[in-house]
């Protein structure tokens, strides 16, 4: 059975909701899932899972959340070769750098040697019906990428 680790940063609850949607979809797909908040998680924990997922919000004009900075730096030092990763998160389309932290984390994962298993998913503020559908497809694609890689 495949395993997935979902780490999230959430200020308003939107990204926790995204993490919950992904957790439920992975469970429906038969994946063993562990979810934790970014400030309570060490980046090395991804080593124990097949699929690594990061869910984050973007603060202000494209900045990483304060509570995510150490994790972001530590992540880039990990060797996650053979792992599949995916990034998702929320932002506000009012800003020019809409959900930029999602892209920043995808770049950080690439430095670990992990394979991007699905295109990143960005949600404008809170997830709505279309976003939920996209997040479910994202989880399915991550699992399919992992299965193809085995």
């Amino acid at each position: 059975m495949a395993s997935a680790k979902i780490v999230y940063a959430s200020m308003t609850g939107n990204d926790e909701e995204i993490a919950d949607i992904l957790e439920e979809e992975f469970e429906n797909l038969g994946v063993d899932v562990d979810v934790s908040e970014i400030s309570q998680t060490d980046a090395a924990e991804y080593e124990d899972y097949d699929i690594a997922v990061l869910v984050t919000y973007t603060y202000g004009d494209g900045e990483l959340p304060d509570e995510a900075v150490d994790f972001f730096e530590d992540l880039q030092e990990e060797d996650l070769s053979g792992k599949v990763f995916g990034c998702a998160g929320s932002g506000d389309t009012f800003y020019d750098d809409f959900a930029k932290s999602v892209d920043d984390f995808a770049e950080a994962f690439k430095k670990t040697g992990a394979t991007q298993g699905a295109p990143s998913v960005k949600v404008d503020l809170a997830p709505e019906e279309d976003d939920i559908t996209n997040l479910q497809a994202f989880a399915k694609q991550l699992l399919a990428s992992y299965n193809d890689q085995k």
Side-chain angles (χ1 to χ4, degrees):
M1 174 190 298
S3 61
K5 175 71 174 177
I6 301 170
V7 178
Y8 71 90
S10 189
M11 181 189 298
T12 61
N14 293 339
D15 292 278
E16 184 174 7
E17 185 178 349
I18 292 169
D20 290 344
I21 292 163
L22 292 171
E23 177 184 25
E24 184 177 331
E25 185 61 25
F26 276 128
E27 288 173 348
N28 290 341
L29 295 168
V31 176
D32 182 30
V33 189
D34 183 53
V35 180
S36 59
E37 204 279 323
I38 201 163
S39 66
Q40 307 297 314
T41 310
D42 188 294
E45 291 179 39
Y46 279 134
E47 294 175 17
D48 299 329
Y49 297 86
D50 303 312
I51 301 168
V53 179
L54 195 290
V55 178
T56 186
Y57 65 94
T58 299
Y59 191 76
D61 290 318
E63 291 94 36
L64 290 171
D66 287 344
E67 69 271 26
V69 172
D70 289 343
F71 188 93
F72 178 80
E73 291 170 359
D74 293 345
L75 176 63
Q76 295 175 73
E77 304 300 317
E78 294 298 317
D79 179 0
L80 300 178
S81 302
K83 308 290 183 190
V84 169
F85 81 87
C87 297
S90 68
D92 186 338
T93 54
F94 171 81
Y95 292 98
D96 292 335
D97 290 322
F98 172 62
K100 183 179 178 292
S101 293
V102 174
D103 299 330
D104 293 342
F105 267 105
E107 289 305 311
F109 267 113
K110 289 175 185 172
K111 293 178 182 176
T112 70
T115 302
Q116 187 165 5
S120 296
V121 175
K122 296 179 179 181
V123 174
D124 186 20
L125 303 174
E128 296 181 5
E129 198 169 320
D130 286 353
D131 300 309
I132 294 169
T133 301
N134 290 340
L135 290 164
Q136 291 168 332
F138 171 76
K140 287 178 182 141
Q141 191 169 354
L142 289 173
L143 180 58
S145 294
Y146 165 71
N147 288 330
D148 290 346
Q149 189 172 294
K150 284 198 309 185

